[in-house]
């Protein structure tokens, strides 16, 4: 594909849909960016500038078209302590360092680790995010006037019913326009965007963080930068996989990692915090018709235009309009089929999904929740593989043969040794690994232990049937034929 063809595909193939969806996303980004700034303990303009810079930069540098990246709660919450103890400049420096770490991770092809995230973990991640998105709207749903509830209900009605009339204009945008008009016409008493904080009225300026360039500064910001880089990459790569599924297309995860790093460096240099992909806004973008890089660029560019030119009008948008949109995102993001699947999916898969959801919702830590899910998936997988393992034995002409079938590794090594009779008086023992595979040091040590115990009992031992990979790991790690092995391994 030529550059021209690639450019048309990535930027010009869906102009109307991308610009309209970018407008919807830009409007929805404003209250969230302000809220994330509050979480981090900084001025609202830090989150808003970050959202502008990250969205525009990632539209060029990222590996997943139509995915929205900006300031997020997942990264904002990690900056709180750093800002309280050292101030805004250290946040900016930590954002730049986090970006550098993400670029290195992309060069190291960290995107390949996504293959180890099971479907159950991804479902749990999506469901947890849907719950967190809804929970974030609770302050706007509790202790408010009946007019607010009526406006939210009306907004939801517009969002779900307007597409039956036409899909030319995204229904979330119609929701914002109609509810804003009603609030102004009837002077409805409800919170609006301006109540969240002052909007910036000037372009972000390029600056270097005012911090000492020494080892002490590095030690202060490094823990935060590593955490932000890890959480940001995790959320971005998982969100990229979800957008892949929604659009039936593929993405370049390693390029996305590098792109996120470049965007976070740019954000730190222009007075913003580090961010990452946003599943809620990405879902809004895709459901509103966004498909190419133009939609992400439009979200950032329109957000900047709204802040600088139409700031007063944007401040009048009633919060019920944005709450209705986020409720739509929450409902649309949650995998409702996963609830039905609990009855007939394997129990272990359901446990992994539920553990991921409970951990994320309970801690509001996406990385921890996914980590728990991946860990449980690994444990359950190892347990299942260990069960597909058996040792059969025959005795012929004074030769005791043990035929091993399955995977010999840390989870099955104990069963392997338990199947051997080290007290039987035989002249020769043959361990046949033709139908087995050695995976790790524990499996090799189990073979070593078996050989040495049989030799101590006076038997000659043959290990046969090793495939090429198993023979390689045995040659590298096995101890039983090396001098002094008996004393080292059997403790004599």
């Amino acid at each position: 594909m030529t550059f021209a063809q690639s450019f048309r595909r990535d930027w010009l193939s869906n102009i109307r849909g991308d610009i309209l969806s970018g407008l919807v996303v830009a409007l929805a980004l404003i209250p969230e960016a302000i809220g994330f700034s509050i979480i981090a303990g900084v001025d609202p303009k830090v989150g808003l500038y970050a959202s502008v810079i990250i969205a525009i930069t990632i539209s060029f540098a990222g590996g997943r078209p139509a995915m929205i990246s900006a300031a997020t709660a997942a990264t904002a919450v990690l900056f709180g302590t750093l800002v309280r103890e050292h101030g805004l400049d250290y946040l900016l420096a930590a954002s730049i360092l986090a970006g550098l770490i993400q670029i290195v991770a992309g060069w190291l092809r960290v995107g390949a680790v996504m293959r180890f995230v099971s479907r159950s973990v991804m479902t749990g991640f999506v469901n947890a995010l849907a719950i967190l998105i809804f929970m974030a709207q609770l302050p706007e749903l509790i202790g408010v006037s009946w007019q607010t509830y009526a406006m939210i209900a009306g907004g939801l009605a517009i969002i779900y019913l307007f597409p039956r009339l036409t899909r030319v204009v995204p229904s979330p945008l119609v929701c914002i326009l109609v509810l804003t008009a009603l609030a102004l016409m009837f002077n409805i008493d409800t919170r609006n965007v301006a109540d969240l904080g002052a909007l910036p009225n000037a372009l972000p300026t390029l600056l270097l963080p005012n911090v000492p360039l020494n080892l002490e500064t590095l030690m202060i910001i490094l823990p935060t930068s590593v955490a932000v880089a890890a959480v940001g990459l995790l959320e971005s790569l998982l969100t990229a996989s979800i957008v892949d599924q929604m659009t039936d297309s593929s993405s370049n995860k390693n390029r996305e990692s590098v792109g996120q790093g470049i965007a976070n460096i740019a954000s730190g240099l222009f007075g913003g915090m580090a961010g990452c992909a946003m599943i809620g806004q990405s879902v809004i973008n895709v459901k509103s018709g966004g498909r190419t890089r133009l939609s992400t660029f439009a979200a950032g560019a329109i957000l900047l235009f709204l802040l600088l030119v139409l700031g007063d009008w944007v401040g009048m948008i009633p919060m019920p309009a944005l709450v209705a949109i986020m409720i739509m995102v929450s409902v649309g993001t949650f995998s409702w089929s996963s609830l039905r699947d609990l009855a007939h999916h394997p129990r272990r898969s359901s446990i992994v999904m539920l553990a991921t959801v409970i951990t994320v919702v309970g801690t509001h830590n996406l990385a921890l929740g996914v980590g728990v899910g991946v860990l449980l998936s690994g444990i359950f997988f190892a347990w299942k593989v260990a069960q597909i393992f058996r040792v059969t034995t025959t005795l012929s002409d004074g030769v005791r043969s043990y035929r091993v079938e399955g995977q010999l590794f840390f989870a099955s090594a104990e069963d392997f040794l338990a199947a051997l009779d080290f007290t039987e008086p035989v002249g020769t023992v043959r361990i046949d690994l033709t139908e087995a595979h050695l995976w790790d040091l524990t499996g090799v040590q189990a073979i070593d232990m078996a050989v040495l115990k049989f030799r101590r009992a006076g038997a000659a031992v043959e290990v046969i049937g090793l495939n090429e990979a198993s023979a390689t790991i045995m040659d590298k790690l096995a101890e039983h034929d090396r001098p002094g092995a008996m004393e080292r391994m059997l403790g004599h």
Side-chain angles (χ1 to χ4, degrees):
M1 182 179 295
T2 65
F3 173 79
Q5 291 173 324
S6 177
F7 182 81
R8 282 195 295 270
R9 181 198 63 189
D10 290 344
W11 290 92
L12 305 177
S13 60
N14 186 42
I15 295 176
R16 183 187 62 81
D18 288 335
I19 292 177
L20 289 175
S21 64
L23 174 58
V24 175
V25 169
L27 291 168
L29 275 174
I30 293 174
E32 292 204 351
I34 295 174
F36 301 152
S37 299
I38 294 171
I39 291 173
V42 294
D43 189 274
K45 69 180 181 181
V46 176
L48 290 166
Y49 282 158
S51 296
V52 169
I53 298 301
I54 292 174
I56 291 175
T57 305
I58 204 69
S59 68
F60 293 96
R64 172 61 263 180
M67 187 168 75
I68 303 298
S69 295
T72 64
T75 55
V77 71
L78 299 172
F79 285 121
T81 301
L82 182 66
V83 172
R84 285 193 300 271
E85 295 180 357
H86 301 282
L88 173 61
D89 282 300
Y90 280 82
L91 175 148
L92 302 180
S95 296
I96 294 171
L97 180 57
L100 290 172
I101 294 171
Q102 289 175 325
I103 290 174
V104 172
W107 286 342
L108 295 176
R109 306 185 67 81
V110 72
V113 304
M114 288 304 298
R115 71 183 68 180
F116 299 108
V117 180
S118 69
R119 178 72 179 180
S120 299
V121 175
M122 289 193 63
T123 301
F125 172 80
V126 169
N127 288 348
L129 278 175
I131 294 171
L132 290 181
I133 290 170
F134 182 81
M135 290 174 62
Q137 312 313 309
L138 293 180
E140 305 294 336
L141 295 170
I142 298 175
V144 296
S145 64
W146 68 268
Q147 292 98 328
T148 299
Y149 290 122
M151 291 185 73
I152 293 174
L156 289 171
I158 292 172
I159 288 170
Y160 286 109
L161 298 179
F162 186 79
R164 297 187 179 185
L165 298 177
T166 179
R167 294 183 179 271
V168 173
V169 181
S171 61
L173 178 58
V174 177
C175 167
I176 291 172
L177 295 175
V178 171
L179 293 192
T180 301
L182 290 175
L184 294 175
M185 288 172 57
F186 297 102
N187 196 26
I188 298 175
D189 182 21
T190 186
R191 275 163 54 85
N192 55 35
V193 170
D195 294 328
L196 299 179
L199 302 179
N201 55 11
L203 287 169
T205 56
L206 180 64
L207 53 88
L208 288 175
N210 185 22
V211 298
L213 299 178
N214 54 36
L215 183 61
E216 182 182 358
T217 298
L218 178 62
M219 291 298 100
I220 290 172
I221 66 175
L222 183 61
T224 300
S225 296
V226 171
V228 168
V231 170
L233 281 182
L234 178 63
E235 185 166 357
S236 296
L237 296 181
L238 285 172
T239 303
S241 296
I242 292 165
V243 176
D244 288 351
Q245 296 172 11
M246 292 180 66
T247 59
D248 292 323
S249 59
S250 61
S251 59
N252 186 328
K253 304 297 191 302
N254 295 312
R255 178 178 174 180
E256 183 62 34
S257 300
V258 174
Q260 290 287 334
I262 294 172
N264 283 331
I265 292 173
S267 178
L269 291 174
F270 280 92
M273 69 176 75
C276 62
M278 307 177 73
I279 186 172
Q281 302 297 347
S282 298
V283 170
I284 291 176
N285 190 45
V286 173
K287 287 185 176 293
S288 298
R291 289 295 181 274
T292 75
R293 296 180 182 277
L294 180 61
S295 63
T296 307
F297 176 85
I302 293 173
L303 174 58
L304 183 61
F305 176 81
L306 292 174
L307 295 176
L308 300 184
V309 181
L310 302 179
D312 292 338
W313 286 96
V314 171
M316 298 177 185
I317 296 174
M319 286 303 297
L322 300 176
V323 171
I325 292 173
M326 297 313 294
I327 290 176
M328 176 270 290
V329 171
S330 176
V331 172
T333 300
F334 194 90
S335 176
W336 298 100
S337 62
S338 66
L339 298 180
R340 297 191 301 270
D341 293 338
L342 289 174
H344 58 270
H345 271 191
R347 183 177 302 175
R348 294 186 182 94
S349 297
S350 298
I351 290 174
V352 169
M353 189 272 287
L354 292 173
T356 304
V357 171
I358 292 170
T359 305
V360 172
V361 174
T363 65
H364 287 220
N365 188 323
L366 297 169
L368 183 59
V370 173
V372 168
V374 171
L375 178 62
L376 282 176
S377 295
I379 292 173
F380 288 147
F381 175 77
W383 177 263
K384 184 175 181 179
V385 172
Q387 303 309 302
I388 310 173
F389 179 85
R390 69 171 182 167
V391 179
T392 56
T393 181
T394 58
L395 179 63
S396 177
D397 298 328
V399 177
R400 171 62 69 181
S401 295
Y402 292 97
R403 184 178 180 84
V404 184
E405 300 176 62
Q407 313 305 311
L408 185 53
F409 65 120
F410 64 88
S412 58
E414 186 175 342
D415 290 339
F416 165 71
L417 290 172
L420 309 180
D421 184 359
F422 298 108
T423 62
E424 183 181 18
V426 293
T428 302
V429 173
R430 183 175 295 129
I431 301 175
D432 186 356
L433 298 173
T434 304
E435 301 298 326
H437 187 91
L438 279 171
W439 284 101
D440 60 4
L441 178 60
T442 306
V444 174
Q445 288 181 338
I447 297 293
D448 280 337
M449 188 67 70
V451 171
L452 292 173
K453 282 189 173 184
F454 280 125
R455 285 177 180 172
R456 187 174 62 178
V461 184
E462 301 174 4
V463 179
I464 64 172
L466 288 167
N467 59 36
E468 183 177 353
S470 298
T472 299
I473 193 172
M474 280 287 288
D475 291 341
K476 183 177 180 180
L477 301 175
E479 295 278 345
H480 58 262
D481 286 332
R482 297 179 184 177
M486 187 79 73
E487 291 74 14
R488 287 196 303 273
M489 299 199 66
L490 300 183
H492 288 239

